[in-house]
Amino acid sequence: MEGMSESENVSTMPEWEQRFRAPRVSLPDWAEDAPDRSLFVSNATGTYELYAWDRSNGRQRQVTDRPNGTTDGVLTPDGEAIWWFSDTDGDEFGVWMRQPFGGGEDEPAAPGLAPSYPAGLAIGRDGSAVIGRSTDEDGTTIHLVPAPGSGEAVEIFRHRESAGVGDLSHDGTLIALEHTEHGDAMHSALRVVRPDGSTVAELDDTEGGTKELGLAVLGFAPVAGDPRLLVGHQRRGRWEPMIWDPVAGTETALPVDLPGDVGAEWYPDGSALLIEHSFEARSELWRYEPGAAEPVRVETPAGTVSGATARPDGTVEYLWSSAAQPPVVRSTSGAVVLDPPGAKAPASVAVEDAWVEGPGGRIHALVQKPAGDGPFPTVFEIHGGPTWHDSDAFASGPAAWVDHGFAVVRVNYRGSTGYGRAWTDALKHRVGLIELEDIAAVRDWSVKSGLADPQRLVLAGGSWGGYLTLLGLGTQPDAWALGLAAVPVADYVTAYHDEMEALKAMDRTLLGGTPEEVPERFEASSPLTYVDAVRAPVYISAGVNDPRCPIRQVENYVDRLAARGAVHEVYRYDAGHGSLVVEERIKQVRLELEFALKHLGGGDVLGA
């Protein structure tokens, strides 16, 4: 693979490091009108970057090469160019660049637009593009950018609340937008507009913000002259697809009665839908032909499909993994689609499902444990989002803890996706506290069942999981022996004022207003409020360029720990909300392992 270094000899490295260093690839995207031209992400050089792949001759080449990595890229429909987003050291604030598919110089894709946070992108067949931007000053703006050399960008949408580009129709005459003009950032409404910004149709299940029902753009029909739009909705208490014709004003429900959340995308000829079904931390694929009585199963192994695409020949390519087995890009033809060179990641242990009765209903947790009999020192690895969920998918971090003799418990608390709309929406207003009630219920179960050693319980997580870690250490000080918080919200008021605009909108939705409007809610949900109650040793890592959980609010929390001599360590690194550099990820996991073993006792990190 051109641009990729040869694999280092990893045979003498501990398995937990081998998992991080093993070369990986994302599900390849492909150009709609040139399906042999693909784009994927790989860590093969030690940093996650974009790669072009010409399937007609097998040639692959590295597209981007930046110190802190690149993962956001899109092919033009004709496959002639690659657009990629250029920020500064992971701060997510930047501009779209364009590079020829075969290689060449990068150039600004929309030179008239100033840097911003991205808010969606759709590229037309005539060379034009629809670009969404978000800034603290302007909120969200959306611009029509004509083909190079044929004019300047024209603003077609502006609003203080969050919005984004959904899709552009095949013939470029319709643009689908998601917006939250009604003020509920968790539940979007849809608007289809013409290239001049005039409205064709609206679809708003929130009814002006009075109902908590969201909509999502899944994609226009990939056929010339077909205005149908595939839409995700929550009308029956979960995500599922329907077909909306914004020109005719018709809606077509689909008889896809599967439990859990259901997404979909079009087959390339528009004749069928590829259904992606997520339920109880696993996922599967189905094919549905409009008008049929029911969908047909697309066979995939048990585990998690984290992305799938239907190819023009009717096959389906998908990225699959399980907690035990590392990811691989497969095809329904039986072939492995894209196999990076180098040593494969060692396997880990399978997850076991735990269902625990909690204050808001049954809580699903995923458990991995080392060989032998418990009780084990146990890490509660709390997912971010918060609207996300842990699944039966390969994860090098939890596997590293298992290698060191820890059990790992991952809790899909209220706020998590995949268990219905009511479960996801339950976190509003008692933000952080309601999730910790569920985590406490699973913690109690883990001790009573004999899985976890009550004297060696670790609360850990990144992003929202880091936030819940700090909040939990302060509100449940007797429950945890140790805390590990990566890129956390630590001081909610300062975080609100410093974070990117789209997250301000989300926080207003979650807490019911700004810190000035609902100060009591921000105080109740802020880890800083409870910092003086923290008794467990706490380790914090933070990116100095993080726009989501900015560094100033972390420093405020750390200063309070230091003022009373609390046991803590802080690691600051020169990136944003996490790192795309493999060695940096390994370093961070090693520091967490060392901190935990130092304070809890255990084996040698390097020799595990």
Side-chain angles (χ1 to χ4, degrees):
M1 185 179 294
E2 183 181 328
M4 293 188 177
S5 63
E6 292 187 10
S7 296
E8 174 180 2
N9 183 2
V10 298
S11 60
T12 59
M13 295 177 186
E15 287 192 345
W16 74 268
E17 290 190 32
Q18 292 181 41
R19 293 191 193 96
F20 281 96
R21 289 197 173 93
R24 296 189 183 183
V25 292
S26 68
L27 179 72
D29 190 16
W30 50 275
E32 295 175 57
D33 298 333
D36 281 342
R37 295 192 168 188
S38 293
L39 184 69
F40 64 92
V41 176
S42 178
N43 66 339
T45 62
T47 302
Y48 285 85
E49 297 285 3
L50 294 168
Y51 291 81
W53 174 27
D54 189 334
R55 299 186 186 212
S56 66
N57 56 26
R59 183 172 180 264
Q60 298 171 1
R61 71 171 187 88
Q62 187 173 338
V63 174
T64 54
D65 184 8
R66 303 193 303 151
N68 283 294
T70 316
T71 58
D72 293 334
V74 179
L75 284 163
T76 56
D78 60 10
E80 291 297 320
I82 296 163
W83 286 47
W84 61 272
F85 192 76
S86 175
D87 65 354
T88 302
D89 296 330
D91 67 359
E92 301 181 46
F93 195 84
V95 298
W96 287 100
M97 303 294 288
R98 182 171 51 219
Q99 182 183 132
F101 181 83
E105 294 297 317
D106 293 306
E107 62 179 11
L113 296 182
S116 68
Y117 298 112
L121 171 69
I123 303 175
R125 284 170 169 75
D126 61 355
S128 65
V130 185
I131 298 179
R133 302 170 63 254
S134 174
T135 66
D136 294 342
E137 297 76 22
D138 297 328
T140 305
T141 59
I142 294 175
H143 307 258
L144 180 67
V145 180
S150 57
E152 296 183 353
V154 177
E155 182 181 302
I156 61 172
F157 174 93
R158 173 182 291 258
H159 203 276
R160 285 301 310 170
E161 299 292 347
S162 56
V165 178
D167 198 17
L168 181 65
S169 65
H170 187 282
D171 58 10
T173 61
L174 300 173
I175 301 165
L177 309 178
E178 297 179 359
H179 72 84
T180 59
E181 293 175 356
H182 48 273
D184 180 351
M186 291 183 68
H187 302 94
S188 293
L190 305 185
R191 178 176 299 142
V192 173
V193 302
R194 301 176 184 88
D196 63 4
S198 60
T199 298
V200 175
E202 304 260 10
L203 197 60
D204 180 10
D205 282 4
T206 75
E207 297 182 9
T210 62
K211 293 185 177 181
E212 295 183 336
L213 290 173
L215 294 166
V217 172
L218 302 179
F220 278 108
V223 180
D226 190 340
R228 293 178 301 162
L229 182 64
L230 193 59
V231 168
H233 69 89
Q234 298 179 303
R235 296 172 182 176
R236 299 198 299 171
R238 60 194 175 96
W239 282 108
E240 57 187 328
M242 69 174 183
I243 296 174
W244 176 40
D245 187 331
V247 175
T250 58
E251 300 175 14
T252 305
L254 305 177
V256 183
D257 291 317
L258 299 168
D261 287 336
V262 179
E265 68 172 50
W266 298 93
Y267 272 73
D269 61 1
S271 65
L273 302 177
L274 178 62
I275 302 293
E276 301 174 18
H277 173 227
S278 174
F279 182 57
E280 296 183 349
R282 277 93 181 169
S283 53
E284 60 188 13
L285 301 176
W286 298 74
R287 175 187 168 97
Y288 175 72
E289 296 183 7
E294 58 187 17
V296 177
R297 177 76 185 272
V298 176
E299 292 300 324
T300 59
T304 294
V305 175
S306 53
T309 182
R311 294 279 293 167
D313 63 2
T315 61
V316 174
E317 296 177 353
Y318 58 97
L319 181 62
W320 174 91
S321 73
S322 69
Q325 296 298 322
V328 60
V329 181
R330 298 174 178 263
S331 168
T332 51
S333 69
V336 172
V337 175
L338 188 58
D339 191 19
K344 307 306 179 189
S348 185
V349 299
V351 295
E352 300 174 12
D353 296 279
W355 291 93
V356 179
E357 290 300 326
R362 282 206 319 161
I363 308 160
H364 190 197
L366 300 175
V367 178
Q368 290 173 279
K369 57 188 180 183
D373 298 323
F376 303 101
T378 300
V379 176
F380 278 71
E381 181 75 32
I382 309 305
H383 72 74
T387 51
W388 191 250
H389 67 272
D390 278 314
S391 59
D392 182 7
F394 197 75
S396 298
W401 288 105
V402 174
D403 285 359
H404 285 82
F406 289 77
V408 177
V409 179
R410 290 179 283 169
V411 182
N412 283 331
Y413 51 76
R414 277 172 288 175
S416 302
T417 52
Y419 300 88
R421 179 176 60 84
W423 190 260
T424 302
D425 288 351
L427 62 86
K428 290 177 65 175
H429 305 321
R430 293 188 62 244
V431 174
L433 303 173
I434 200 167
E435 300 98 294
L436 286 168
E437 289 178 359
D438 292 348
I439 293 166
V442 178
R443 181 197 67 220
D444 292 345
W445 164 84
S446 72
V447 172
K448 291 176 182 176
S449 69
L451 170 72
D453 178 350
Q455 303 305 313
R456 294 191 290 172
L457 294 177
V458 179
L459 187 57
S463 191
W464 197 264
Y467 158 64
L468 293 177
T469 294
L470 297 183
L471 189 64
L473 295 178
T475 60
Q476 304 169 353
D478 297 325
W480 306 104
L482 193 81
L484 305 168
V487 292
V489 174
D491 168 4
Y492 217 140
V493 173
T494 302
Y496 175 86
H497 289 302
D498 289 359
E499 69 193 2
M500 58 202 301
E501 186 62 33
L503 293 185
K504 284 187 173 73
M506 179 61 75
D507 282 339
R508 290 193 296 271
T509 295
L510 288 173
L511 289 127
T514 67
E516 292 71 33
E517 293 166 339
V518 287
E520 72 286 351
R521 290 181 179 173
F522 275 82
E523 182 180 14
S525 294
S526 179
L528 189 67
T529 302
Y530 313 96
V531 63
D532 290 337
V534 173
R535 293 203 289 272
V538 56
Y539 171 90
I540 299 173
S541 60
V544 298
N545 305 314
D546 192 343
R548 297 172 181 269
C549 298
I551 191 68
R552 183 168 71 109
Q553 52 95 29
V554 173
E555 301 292 8
N556 291 347
Y557 186 91
V558 171
D559 288 346
R560 288 280 296 275
L561 288 175
R564 64 182 183 86
V567 178
H568 71 285
E569 291 183 17
V570 183
Y571 173 65
R572 303 166 182 84
Y573 58 95
D574 189 19
H577 198 60
S579 177
L580 299 176
V581 180
V582 171
E583 290 302 322
E584 177 62 35
R585 291 187 178 185
I586 292 171
K587 179 180 181 180
Q588 292 181 25
V589 173
R590 181 184 287 113
L591 288 170
E592 290 186 349
L593 288 165
E594 289 175 345
F595 186 83
L597 297 176
K598 172 183 175 182
H599 291 283
L600 298 180
D604 177 8
V605 173
L606 299 179

